[in-house]
Structures are given as structure tokens and as C-alpha cells.
Amino acid sequence: MVAALNETLLDESRVPAVVADVQALIDAEVSDKSGASGLALKGGYGAVKKVGPSIVPDAIEGLLPAFVTKLEPYWQSFTASGEAGFSEYLVARSDEVADSLLGVTDERIEGSDRGAVKKVYSSLRPSAKKNVIEALPRLGTLVQKHAN
């Protein structure tokens, strides 16, 4: 039996490395964006980071348990499938995975009392699914790295 993701990714000794890797993933994904929507995303991300330098790592740490919960069924199915890469597994189910993960952030942002963060999120939300789908290869690699 493969260990549950909450036993690996949320292990107290691993959380700082997982959070750092997730922030590096987000930074890389934002950096890779181009065009008008890329500029908007970069601007919004930069604005959030200026509001408070700890917002991004704090948000990652706060959301990590919910994201791990959403990823768990995919991880268990992946490990049972015998496929080699979790990235490919996620990409093959990209619409479903993206919707599941975005459900976490949608729910959390509704309860936020930070007006600036809510404003930025609402302006970026329409393109969020596409961005999440584009991040799935990196996310799968990250999860597989920390889960093994």
C-alpha cells in the first residue's frame, strides 16, 4: 500500500520543503506567462506579494492540506495504475483535476477578509483553469518528488 499524501507531503519535517517547492513552482509558472494575460497575471501576483511578502508562503501552507486532500484520489489511482509519471497522469485528467483544485481556492477566497487579495483573485479567476492545467506537469513532478 502506498502512503497517503497527507502522510508524506504534510509530514511536519517535510512541509517547509514542500512549501518552498510550491512557491518556486508558482514563481516559475508566473514567469513563463506571456502576452497581455501574462502581464496581468504577473502584475496581480506582484501586487499580492507587495501587500505582504509572507502572503504567498502563508497561503500555500494554509491551503496545502486542502490541496493534498483533493490530489489524494488521483495519487492513489495513479500508484495503482502502474504508470510512471504522476505529471502525465494529471495531464490526462486535466479538466477534472483543475476544477477540483480551483474549488479549494474559490472557497477560501470567499472567506478572505483581504479586499486587495479578493480583487486580484477575481480579476485573474477567469483564466485560472487554463493556468492550473498548464501547471499540472510541474505539480505532478513536485508531488512525486515529495511523496517518494
Side-chain angles (χ1 to χ4, degrees):
M1 175 92 180
V2 173
L5 288 180
N6 66 349
E7 294 172 9
T8 55
L9 272 62
L10 301 179
D11 180 88
E12 206 173 281
S13 65
R14 291 187 191 196
V15 167
V18 172
V19 169
D21 282 355
V22 171
Q23 183 162 3
L25 180 154
I26 294 168
D27 290 346
E29 287 294 325
V30 170
S31 177
D32 285 353
K33 301 303 177 202
S34 61
S37 63
L39 282 175
L41 183 60
K42 288 175 184 179
Y45 187 59
V48 167
K49 289 170 80 173
K50 283 182 183 173
V51 168
S54 67
I55 287 178
V56 174
D58 289 351
I60 293 167
E61 193 163 350
L63 292 169
L64 192 59
F67 281 127
V68 167
T69 297
K70 295 293 186 180
L71 287 169
E72 185 65 47
Y74 300 105
W75 178 252
Q76 292 301 322
S77 294
F78 159 72
T79 56
S81 75
E83 292 182 41
F86 192 45
S87 293
E88 294 81 4
Y89 188 87
L90 292 177
V91 168
R93 294 150 184 82
S94 59
D95 281 340
E96 178 186 343
V97 174
D99 286 338
S100 182
L101 294 174
L102 285 168
V104 172
T105 54
D106 290 346
E107 186 177 302
R108 290 291 175 101
I109 205 71
E110 276 184 36
S112 174
D113 59 356
R114 294 182 176 176
V117 174
K118 286 177 111 168
K119 183 178 178 181
V120 169
Y121 185 82
S122 67
S123 70
L124 299 174
R125 180 57 176 91
S127 61
K129 185 171 181 176
K130 175 183 170 282
N131 292 322
V132 171
I133 288 171
E134 290 173 355
L136 290 178
R138 284 182 170 137
L139 178 62
T141 299
L142 185 154
V143 170
Q144 199 163 5
K145 169 187 169 184
H146 289 284
N148 290 334

